[in-house]
């Protein structure tokens, strides 16, 4: 592949990932959040079954299937369910992306607590900046386009943040060698186990079928659930796995920019400053430590 095109793949990945929050904003007025996610996951499972048959990919062993379903319940069920529920309860798309955009920071913190991974001073500073940034966004007078966030919206964003962060920790612990395509299918099955019961218990399943709803569903299946994953697979294959986490700090500003032009979501100066602190914090958390240069010796 052309070198310049290869360099654009991370940019494309970030943009597609950021459209997930915009996609939710288009879908929510026409269909209830958990019902939408149930349909999205089921169609994605069908698409991945076709990919597995076409690419002749192998299946995980039984215990790995169970682990993948648990990880999917967190990464897809709790994460996406929390984001969609939050937006359904009035949280702006840009704010929700900033909230869950802190997941590399929380992942680093969980890795320190659960996996005994060491945190460098610059990463601790990043954690503090990220927390302060999110606090400013929540409590700023103009940070939510007028008024404070509903308590259910805040709780949903926290559930989404914890879901994707802890799911990532489990992925590192339990599923590093699981086949990516078939493992991802199992993850979406785990996501269905979360959102389907919530949809049956809480929603009416009324749908306003129009272009925006259908387009949001198609985009979420093919661009987000399949396209973003395939781009991720390519980056891993090409040796970009060590950089993938750092790409996520670009998602919140990309989402805020799209939300501004598409939905006129306004952020006050305090909220914008909070956004900046959060992005800087996540960058510090995900920044790689520079290797020490070997000492040079005079060989004359």
């Amino acid at each position: 592949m052309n070198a310049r095109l290869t360099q654009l793949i991370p940019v494309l990945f970030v943009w597609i990932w950021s459209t997930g929050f915009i996609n939710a904003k288009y879908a929510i007025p026409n269909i209830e959040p958990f019902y939408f996610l149930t349909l999205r996951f089921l169609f994605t499972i069908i698409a991945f079954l076709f990919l597995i048959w076409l690419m002749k990919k192998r299946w995980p062993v039984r215990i790995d299937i169970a682990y993948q379903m648990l990880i999917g319940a967190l990464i897809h069920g709790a994460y996406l369910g929390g984001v969609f529920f939050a937006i359904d309860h009035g949280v702006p798309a840009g704010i929700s992306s900033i909230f869950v955009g802190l997941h590399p920071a929380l992942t680093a913190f969980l890795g320190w607590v659960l996996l005994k991974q060491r945190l460098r001073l610059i990463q601790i500073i990043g954690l503090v900046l990220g927390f302060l940034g999110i606090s400013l966004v929540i409590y700023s007078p103009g940070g939510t386009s007028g008024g404070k966030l509903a308590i259910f919206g805040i709780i949903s964003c926290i559930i989404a943040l914890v879901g994707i962060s802890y799911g990532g920790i489990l992925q590192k612990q339990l599923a590093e060698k699981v086949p990516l395509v078939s493992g991802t299918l199992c993850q979406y099955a785990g996501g269905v186990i979360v959102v389907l019961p919530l949809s049956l218990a809480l929603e009416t399943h009324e749908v306003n079928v129009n272009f925006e709803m259908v387009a949001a569903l198609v985009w979420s299946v093919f661009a987000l659930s399949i396209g973003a994953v395939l781009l991720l697979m390519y980056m891993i294959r090409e040796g970009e796995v060590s950089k993938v986490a750092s790409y996520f700090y670009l998602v919140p500003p990309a989402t805020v920019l799209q939300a501004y032009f598409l939905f006129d979501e306004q952020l006050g100066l305090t909220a914008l400053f909070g956004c900046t602190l959060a992005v800087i914090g996540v960058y510090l958390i995900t920044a790689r430590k520079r290797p020490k240069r070997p000492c040079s010796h005079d060989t004359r």
Side-chain angles (χ1 to χ4, degrees), residues 71-131:
I71 293 167
L74 293 168
I75 292 179
H76 301 299
Y79 167 64
L80 289 175
V83 168
F84 273 69
F85 190 82
I87 292 177
D88 186 46
H89 280 70
V91 178
I95 300 298
S96 63
S97 73
I98 295 166
F99 243 114
V100 297
L102 280 176
H103 83 86
L106 182 57
T107 299
F109 177 76
L110 291 175
W112 173 56
V113 173
L114 300 176
L115 304 180
K116 307 302 180 183
Q117 295 176 346
R118 297 182 61 182
L119 286 178
R120 291 175 284 130
L121 177 60
I122 193 171
Q123 292 177 308
I124 296 174
I125 294 173
L127 285 171
V128 174
L129 288 179
F131 177 79

